[in-house]
Amino acid sequence: MACSTVTPPSTSFIGNKKDLNLSVFSSATPLSSQKRERKSKKICSVMSPQQSERKPATTGSVKTGMTMTEKIFARASEKPQLSPGENVWVDVDVLMTHDVCGPGSIGIFKKEFGQNAKVWDREKVVIIPDHYIFTTDERANRNVDILRDFCTEQNIKYFYDIKDLSNFKANPDYKGVCHVALAQEGHCRPGEVLLGTDSHTCTAGAFGQFATGIGNTDAGFVLGTGKLLLKVPPTLRFVMDGEMPDYLLAKDLILQIIGEISVAGGTYKAMEFVGSTVESLSMEERMTLCNMVVEAGGKNGIVPADSTTFKYLEDKTSVPYEPVYSDAKARFLKEYRFDISKLEPLVAKPHSPDNRALARECKDVKIDRVYIGSCTGGKTEDFMAAARVFLASGKKVKVPTFLVPATQKVWMDVYSLPVPGSGGKTCSQIFEEAGCDTPASPSCGACMGGPKDTYARLNEPQVCVSTTNRNFPGRMGHKEGQIYLASPYTAAASALTGYVTDPREFLQ
């Protein structure tokens, strides 16, 4: 795999002291002349001569180029210029919370602002039950009740409620996984600030906006004020070029990046994705790319908005938005370059997302099950990809294969959209022919374990190939379970053989 890194000449964010008027000599004065002046008995001025043709910037310092993330922070804080490391109060465009963190955030809001306090803007708060939904666990059910009561009290415009757990389709407002629902319902817009009480809120960076996860205390404060104090992160830039092989998906790209920089390599850094490969990706694939930046410690992931973005948003939002783009002279902490045409299908072995390996190197790893779902790998195109592998093989799966559509819309797509090259068959038909489990009710499912009656939860120490985002011990349930993170292609191929399998065995 071809990869190179380009590091700026100086690790300091101040690239040139002369640009900040820190030089005590005129740039036109030769160094030898400076030395002679020091030896002279005459007292010489050490101030630079006034350059009348250059007017000072309105901020009192020289303006420099900014990255996308810096520009969004500057706009949201009403500052003309910002640099990494600065702390600023930003105005929040959208705050999202769900059934796991919502009750805690609401409790803090009421404690700090008063039992009768009102949220700063009822149309900018989005509340999405999605984590522990289809369970008999009373505490999990109570969490959704707390959200419902709060939304009624506050007249929250965007509350995607569910009451009938026996049939999700009987709940027209219910969506499913928050990060996919935010995009589908038009809450993601270029240039905006979106905060959510979930670490994978960074998914929305695919739309050219700043999106990151926050804790309950911060969310409680945002509920009352619409603002949050944030530090401007430095930016890592990832340039991905080359034609994307038809056996790769965005999951392979982000696993490659995390394997390259480690789970700590992006700590409190913006991760900006550019290049011809990124430009060729669909919105759902860009969401996959940004979704897992937090597994590298990233503050946010971001992709420049383009015609693909604008087309996706055409029928989803009427709210005006203004995209931003990194300046040509923006300063990046480091730049990584990848030739994607040479990349092979990857997995992340237990028990860390940066435990990267080629899928073909793990062909002797026997597995017990396959899981296709989550905000990372449960979107419409993820199921289309899995169906393509099953269709190409014409075989049946050799291990239980669980399918959990992210949202109600994805579930409908699985049952209605024809798979290209299938003669009109839908994903659901292909999955049934391959012997997979019937697609489950849309939710986060077993991605985060959940109550013991959660569908497809790892309740035994089994080996699972999963399209989810984390493979730490206990993540999907049993603490001795082993999770291999993979793309939908690799997951489907592995289901067909009962071993970790390179999808090229069926796609070429």
Side-chain angles (χ1 to χ4, degrees), residues 68 140 170 237-238 296 315 460:
M68 291 177 66
R237 180 177 249 196
F238 298 86
D315 61 346
E460 298 176 12

Side-chain angles (χ1 to χ4, degrees), residues 150-219:
F150 181 73
C151 289
T152 300
E153 168 197 305
Q154 298 284 333
N155 194 26
I156 299 298
K157 184 175 182 178
Y158 301 109
F159 172 46
Y160 300 113
D161 195 10
I162 181 167
K163 294 179 181 178
D164 186 350
L165 302 183
S166 64
N167 178 17
F168 72 89
K169 295 191 291 293
N171 304 271
D173 291 337
Y174 177 68
K175 303 304 173 186
V177 177
C178 58
H179 310 300
V180 180
L182 282 170
Q184 292 177 341
E185 299 305 314
H187 298 297
C188 300
R189 292 176 288 268
E192 292 192 352
V193 173
L194 186 155
L195 303 180
T197 58
D198 189 290
S199 58
H200 291 106
T201 302
C202 53
T203 305
F207 290 85
Q209 65 183 131
F210 176 79
T212 197
I214 59 174
N216 292 2
T217 305
D218 282 348

